[in-house]
Amino acid sequence: MTKDVVALTPRMPDPWSILAGLLSGGPDKLVNTAGEGAVVQLCDASGRPLVSVEAPLLVQVAGEAERLFGAAAPPVPFWWTEARATTGVAEAERLAGTFAARVAALAGGTVWPPEAALSLAVVASEGVGLAPAPAAAQPAVDVLTDKVAVVITDRPVVAMTAWLSDAFRAVAAAERGLQIVSPAGATLSPAVRDSLPGWPSRWVVQDEQEGYYDGRSGAVLRWQEGMFAPVASPGATEDDPDTPVAAAFREFADTGERQLAVTFRTVRPADERLVLGGALEALWCELTGGPPAGWGSAEPANLPWSPARLTDTAFARAPEPSWFVVVGSPERPAHATVRITRTKAGVEEDVTVAFGYGADEEPPLEALTRAAEVLATRHHLQSMLVQLRKARRDLAVPPRFEGPGVPLAFVLGAEEAHALPDDRARRTPLAQQPLALGPKARPAFYYALPGDPSDLSGWSDFERLVRHLKGS
């Protein structure tokens, strides 16, 4: 049975619907709140949570339920009410299912996964044993050691939910790693892949043949010394660990699908007229013909795209950094993460965005120079790298090998180019001279990388270019 259950309803669950759901364990269950009242918990007699319930979320972006777990959702806007059961406790899982079933029945919606909503009857849970604190104190964390926090999920797409976002912040504050365990066949959202730090953090994939393996590297894993760690081959040495790679990770089929990936940074002076998200919107419009569909501070992205509202949210959180996810429409898969930071130089936006294309679709490579010029002349672009990858159109990250992207272009912002001595930005070790963007007196430069998109030769050209610009 599942540990995460979601009620999708066309109407907001009213207090009576939530109360009926909370009574799924009978009237003697303790109710607690967490997250400044945003999370309601059904607890045992000792006060430890059996089920944690997020406040209902109004989703105004089409396609998010389909993207994150393939469920048919009501037409937008609809309400997303999520419950997470304590792992390994069957009664807790049934409580979560009954809670969601009651909410959906009263608010006129459906439940994901459908098999979780089997009954509306009270769940008997007297004498249930729970995971001790502190693991149970963090709704997303199932196992806590002195090295890592382990999150076990059975979602088809491991997304940056509010639960998981809280776990990321908690382990960062505690200086622990985060290890996410998912079943075979599950995928990662790009937001989780790009946010998961290095060792000892891992994406741990269950596998019938190997037991567990790392979904990003393929290394076979075992639980040892308080965390999942690679298995060493018999002849391994300290210099050559010789870690075996899971057979499932090596499975690769070229379907012809591709992703156009762009990473860029802008730096602008901080003033009251500053509007954030404009650079991403400009790039999106140039490459797709329209703006993003929605954004949010977690997944699902629940708000219609609005640079003004994104700016207000970031300013309200300042001087702390802000992180957002931005998504496209179901017709044109696209996904971005935006990190906004206040620094001495001003307000920095670090953006990673990818657009998905099928085997019969051509990425709009001819629009790249136009997009680069718009960012360089209107949005204080500092740098930008464009890559083309053989990867899934839907942008989900599978637990299999996907080759690295091939760099197609690099852009150096006007201020950065002007700061280089000896007119170095204009001179290049590449066969093709850079394209000047913007005013002649202070241009940005677009470097087309001549590597063949079908191989990795573009990386050697990119490395030569970077060494030249650094003067090394």
Side-chain angles (χ1 to χ4, degrees):
M1 293 185 68
T2 186
K3 291 165 282 297
D4 296 332
V5 185
V6 183
L8 305 171
T9 60
R11 303 191 304 273
M12 179 180 180
D14 58 32
W16 291 110
S17 301
I18 298 296
L19 179 60
L22 292 174
L23 289 173
S24 57
D28 57 337
K29 282 288 166 287
L30 300 178
V31 176
N32 189 21
T33 60
E36 299 180 352
V39 177
V40 179
Q41 296 174 321
L42 280 176
C43 303
D44 66 357
S46 301
R48 293 176 296 190
L50 286 160
V51 176
S52 299
V53 179
E54 281 273 357
L57 180 70
L58 180 62
V59 178
Q60 304 174 66
V61 181
E64 282 298 87
E66 292 83 353
R67 178 176 74 90
L68 296 178
F69 43 65
V76 292
F78 64 89
W79 292 88
W80 179 301
T81 307
E82 187 163 333
R84 178 172 174 84
T86 297
T87 303
V89 182
E91 291 82 1
E93 295 171 7
R94 288 196 289 271
L95 273 174
T98 300
F99 166 85
R102 289 186 174 189
V103 168
L106 292 171
T110 59
V111 173
W112 179 87
E115 63 270 18
L118 297 178
S119 173
L120 300 177
V122 170
V123 177
S125 54
E126 288 76 17
V128 171
L130 292 177
Q138 171 58 254
V141 174
D142 298 292
V143 178
L144 191 67
T145 73
D146 59 347
K147 297 177 181 177
V148 298
V150 179
V151 173
I152 303 173
T153 178
D154 61 355
R155 298 169 96 108
V157 178
V158 182
M160 187 62 82
T161 62
W163 306 116
L164 194 55
S165 180
D166 288 343
F168 269 96
R169 286 190 290 268
V171 297
E175 297 183 347
R176 287 183 171 93
L178 180 66
Q179 299 191 336
I180 302 171
V181 182
S182 69
T187 61
L188 282 189
S189 160
V192 177
R193 177 198 59 195
D194 297 341
S195 300
L196 197 62
W199 184 92
S201 298
R202 295 184 186 277
W203 176 24
V204 182
V205 180
Q206 299 173 0
D207 182 64
E208 289 187 0
Q209 182 175 345
E210 304 290 356
Y212 300 94
Y213 70 92
D214 190 308
R216 296 189 295 177
S217 70
V220 177
L221 304 174
R222 295 288 183 273
W223 182 261
Q224 45 193 329
E225 298 181 0
M227 64 179 180
F228 284 99
V231 175
S233 297
T237 65
E238 186 174 339
D239 295 330
D240 183 11
D242 192 22
T243 301
V245 175
F249 181 80
R250 295 194 296 267
E251 297 175 0
F252 175 76
D254 186 358
T255 62
E257 296 179 317
R258 289 171 291 176
Q259 295 175 11
L260 186 63
V262 183
T263 56
F264 68 87
R265 171 179 289 184
T266 64
V267 183
R268 286 177 289 174
D271 62 55
E272 59 185 15
R273 297 170 297 175
L274 176 62
V275 177
L276 302 169
L280 177 59
E281 181 180 278
L283 176 73
W284 212 291
C285 288
E286 292 291 343
L287 296 181
T288 71
W295 70 286
S297 56
E299 293 179 296
N302 65 308
L303 298 170
W305 175 247
S306 170
R309 291 191 64 181
L310 184 147
T311 301
D312 290 343
T313 303
F315 278 14
R317 295 176 179 176
E320 295 299 316
S322 293
W323 180 94
F324 302 111
V325 61
V326 182
V327 298
S329 65
E331 295 75 26
R332 171 50 60 216
H335 188 286
T337 57
V338 182
R339 183 174 178 82
I340 298 168
T341 312
R342 179 68 183 271
T343 67
K344 293 180 179 180
V347 179
E348 298 186 6
E349 290 183 74
D350 289 282
V351 180
T352 299
V353 57
F355 303 90
Y357 300 91
D360 57 346
E361 297 175 306
E362 286 297 325
L365 303 184
E366 73 285 349
L368 290 174
T369 53
R370 186 171 63 249
E373 182 158 22
V374 170
L375 267 61
T377 57
R378 303 180 191 175
H379 298 281
H380 297 263
L381 179 69
Q382 187 178 64
S383 62
M384 182 170 79
L385 177 64
V386 182
Q387 301 178 57
L388 189 64
R389 303 178 63 234
K390 292 181 179 180
R392 292 170 52 144
R393 181 182 187 272
D394 64 5
L395 306 176
V397 182
R400 296 188 299 277
F401 174 77
E402 287 188 321
V406 176
L408 300 181
F410 177 72
V411 184
L412 188 65
E415 295 302 318
E416 288 66 33
H418 183 75
L420 296 179
D422 306 323
D423 203 23
R424 186 181 300 158
R426 193 180 301 273
R427 296 183 292 105
T428 171
L430 306 179
Q432 184 175 347
Q433 292 302 303
L435 175 65
L437 306 174
K440 292 183 179 180
R442 211 178 185 90
F445 290 96
Y446 180 100
Y447 303 88
L449 297 166
D452 183 349
S454 64
D455 62 35
L456 300 180
S457 61
W459 281 113
S460 60
D461 297 315
F462 178 64
E463 290 174 0
R464 284 198 300 140
L465 174 63
V466 170
R467 287 198 300 269
H468 166 75
L469 293 176
K470 288 184 176 180
S472 59

